[in-house]
Amino acid sequence: MKEFLVFLVKFYRKNISPLKRPCCRFYPSCSQYTLEALQKYGVLKGGFMAIKRILRCNPFNEGGYDPVK
């Protein structure tokens, strides 16, 4: 399952993300954060962390440096 999710994120980064203007408020980007969280914590915890991060990536959040901990 983890490999499939990593594939989806990499597909997004290669094929969809270049069509949009950069809009992530965080460093590393939300897609990079998701890859790192999945690799470090697995599908359940890493996926939950990625969802929380994506929900925080909005105009009401200042953003900034937010590494996977």
Side-chain angles (χ1 to χ4, degrees):
M1 182 65 161
K2 180 171 72 172
E3 293 82 16
F4 178 68
L5 294 175
V6 168
F7 168 78
L8 287 178
V9 173
K10 288 182 178 182
F11 178 84
Y12 166 80
R13 291 180 77 178
K14 183 176 180 180
N15 298 301
I16 297 171
S17 184
L19 302 175
K20 303 175 7 176
R21 64 179 179 83
C23 61
C24 190
R25 300 178 169 280
F26 292 101
Y27 177 81
S29 69
C30 292
S31 59
Q32 182 63 36
Y33 182 93
T34 299
L35 289 174
E36 291 176 19
L38 288 171
Q39 293 295 341
K40 186 171 184 177
Y41 293 108
V43 173
L44 292 179
K45 185 175 180 181
F48 181 71
M49 292 172 67
I51 290 169
K52 281 181 29 178
R53 167 69 177 272
I54 291 167
L55 291 175
R56 287 184 291 149
C57 193
N58 63 63
F60 303 109
N61 191 315
E62 191 174 304
Y65 182 65
D66 181 32
V68 174
K69 298 174 188 163

